[in-house]
Amino acid sequence: MTAHVTGTRQDDHDAARSVTDWLCLVAAPIFLIMALLTAFADDATMICSTAHETLPINGMTIMYLLMSVFHSAPWIRLIAHRRSGTARS
């Protein structure tokens, strides 16, 4: 078994941090897309559907919207850092 080493521990730490930063940024838009799909998809394409709802906002839609809001912190930090002109350390 061969391990891939990028050089130093700092390089490995920076690479891991870069991946986790991108994963954090991906979560909020994915949950927003899931909320929209859940709200406006017909029953045949619903991921989790127990009963036909008359309103497009059901429990799953609310859950995905809340998850999108809770996972929006990395976007808020990114926007704040860009507006203030400071680099993220």
Side-chain angles (χ1 to χ4, degrees):
M1 175 181 256
T2 306
H4 179 359
V5 178
T6 59
T8 65
R9 284 187 179 182
Q10 184 62 39
D11 290 341
D12 292 342
H13 180 266
D14 291 343
R17 186 172 182 180
S18 177
V19 169
T20 57
D21 287 346
W22 279 106
L23 286 174
C24 289
L25 289 172
V26 170
I30 292 296
F31 286 125
L32 183 59
I33 290 168
M34 293 298 294
L36 294 172
L37 287 174
T38 304
F40 298 110
D42 61 350
D43 286 339
T45 58
M46 291 288 285
I47 293 172
C48 297
S49 177
T50 57
H52 181 40
E53 300 282 335
T54 57
L55 294 174
I57 297 185
N58 58 22
M60 291 299 290
T61 304
I62 293 169
M63 180 194 71
Y64 287 130
L65 287 173
L66 285 173
M67 289 174 75
S68 180
V69 169
F70 292 146
H71 289 302
S72 65
W75 284 99
I76 294 168
R77 279 194 301 271
L78 180 68
I79 292 167
H81 284 295
R82 288 195 178 199
R83 283 192 176 178
S84 68
T86 59
R88 184 170 182 203
S89 56

